[in-house]
Amino acid sequence: MSADTMRAVVQDGFGGPEVLRVQQVPRPVPLPTEVLVRVHAAGINPVDWKTRGGTGMAGLLGEPPFTLGWDVSGVVEEVGFGVTTLKPGDAVYGMPWFPRVANGYAEYVTGPARQWARKPATVDHVHAAAVPLAALTAWQAVVDTANVRAGQRVLVTAAAGGVGHFAVQFARHLGAHVIATASAARHPWLKELGADETIDYTTTRFEDAAADVDVVIDLVGDAHDQTSTRSLKVLRAGGLLVAIPQGVSPELAQAAEAAGVRVTPFLVEPDGAALTTIADLIDAGEVAVEVEETFPLEQAGAAHARGENLRTRGKLVLTVTN
């Protein structure tokens, strides 16, 4: 190993968790307006293991080899020409480049300076790395897309997951009445986060327990028991379904029109300004970050297997550098 190389998790082909291997690769160099970040921790998201297997963002990334990972928390090591908002030594977190390759499962990452924000001061790098993709997805869906307002009724499916637990908290922060679906064991925790009502999806069809909803943040999709289509039944006239995992099929769009409700697809974007706002909410104690388990970089495959095979409470995170 030299100063010009680093450890990174590389996959040479699509497949199961076993395709993820740590290798020595060239260390990146920041271009003008970019920063080089020494990664302390990297978050894991469902899009990671979907892409590893050949779906997710694989169509955009192309054929391997490549390095997965978009969630990063670390310290600025070097800044490129023109960067004025960050300096070496700053603790930052971000989701650079998404949906293009960002190489997050590595010791160093580069990305545009304005796609980063200063790390929340009250949490460590592990918890900060659990935030960007999940929290930005929730923030951009709840705040920017649905424009949730005080007094509205908001249903969040898969509320105990990475995006879900942030969506519950953001909707609560905005003054909405929040209804969350999750297994019964997660209900007390979700109520602590701000859910007003909880529905056990293993025993109850949510459309039988919720009604007159203004906004549905669907994190499950029609591929699993027609969850997006079923969500249309709980919306009031003119209500909005934000369909995140699979987007909006022609059939779903037609069903929404027939039901007199709105539906929109959604994909998260890098947003340093929003991450600054989210960091402020975390530091103020308004938003909590849940990490269920951590894995060293060398065990990225085991982390993927854990995420794919068992539902998580919050996020899984890779530890990279102390």
Side-chain angles (χ1 to χ4, degrees):
M1 182 175 178
S2 72
D4 297 326
T5 65
M6 65 176 183
R7 292 181 304 141
V9 177
V10 179
Q11 65 177 87
D12 294 319
F14 295 116
E18 69 280 355
V19 303
L20 301 177
R21 301 171 187 235
V22 172
Q23 299 179 14
Q24 290 292 326
V25 302
R27 175 172 149 174
V29 176
L31 298 175
T33 74
E34 293 182 353
V35 295
L36 173 70
V37 173
R38 185 182 184 188
V39 179
H40 285 243
I44 296 174
N45 297 282
V47 68
D48 297 9
W49 58 73
K50 291 176 183 177
T51 303
R52 184 210 72 225
T55 60
M57 296 299 137
L60 296 176
L61 271 56
E63 291 294 320
F66 53 68
T67 293
L68 291 170
W70 287 276
D71 274 343
V72 169
S73 182
V75 175
V76 175
E77 184 92 354
E78 182 183 343
V79 300
F81 176 80
V83 175
T84 60
T85 55
L86 296 171
K87 64 184 184 304
D90 285 343
V92 295
Y93 76 143
M95 185 196 72
W97 297 118
F98 188 85
R100 299 183 182 185
V101 67
N103 304 304
Y105 296 0
E107 290 183 305
Y108 291 90
V109 169
T110 56
R114 293 180 186 272
Q115 292 184 3
W116 302 88
R118 285 178 172 79
K119 179 183 77 65
T122 55
V123 300
D124 58 18
H125 284 290
V126 166
H127 285 78
V131 175
L133 193 148
L136 284 176
T137 299
W139 183 267
Q140 292 171 10
V142 171
V143 179
D144 300 336
T145 301
N147 189 27
V148 168
R149 300 180 301 280
Q152 289 188 317
R153 291 169 59 82
V154 176
L155 171 67
V156 181
T157 64
V163 177
H165 87 291
F166 286 119
V168 167
Q169 294 179 86
F170 294 152
R172 181 276 318 264
H173 174 73
L174 294 169
H177 180 95
V178 182
I179 307 165
T181 73
S183 61
R186 312 290 198 202
H187 290 186
W189 170 60
L190 286 169
K191 288 183 177 179
E192 289 178 8
L193 295 182
D196 298 283
E197 300 178 43
T198 50
I199 300 170
D200 183 356
Y201 72 91
T202 68
T203 62
T204 305
R205 306 283 282 183
F206 64 80
E207 64 268 34
D208 295 333
D212 198 28
V213 170
D214 295 279
V215 176
V216 175
I217 305 297
D218 178 31
L219 303 170
V220 180
D222 266 346
H224 298 277
D225 200 20
Q226 293 291 294
T227 300
S228 291
T229 298
R230 289 165 49 213
S231 296
L232 303 177
K233 300 177 182 179
V234 308
L235 286 167
R236 65 164 177 81
L240 175 66
L241 165 63
V242 184
I244 294 178
Q246 283 95 40
V248 179
S249 67
E251 294 78 12
L252 180 60
Q254 185 176 14
E257 183 177 6
V261 300
R262 297 171 294 144
V263 61
T264 183
F266 175 88
L267 186 64
V268 66
E269 303 174 49
D271 190 343
L275 283 176
T276 297
T277 299
I278 292 166
D280 290 341
L281 290 174
I282 292 170
D283 286 340
E286 291 287 323
V287 171
V289 184
E290 187 73 10
V291 174
E292 179 158 290
E293 193 171 354
T294 64
F295 299 79
L297 188 66
E298 291 78 7
Q299 294 181 18
H304 273 222
R306 169 67 177 82
E308 285 182 282
N309 296 326
L310 293 171
R311 292 185 181 274
T312 61
R313 171 171 153 160
K315 292 287 291 295
L316 303 175
V317 174
L318 297 175
T319 55
V320 183
T321 307
N322 292 327

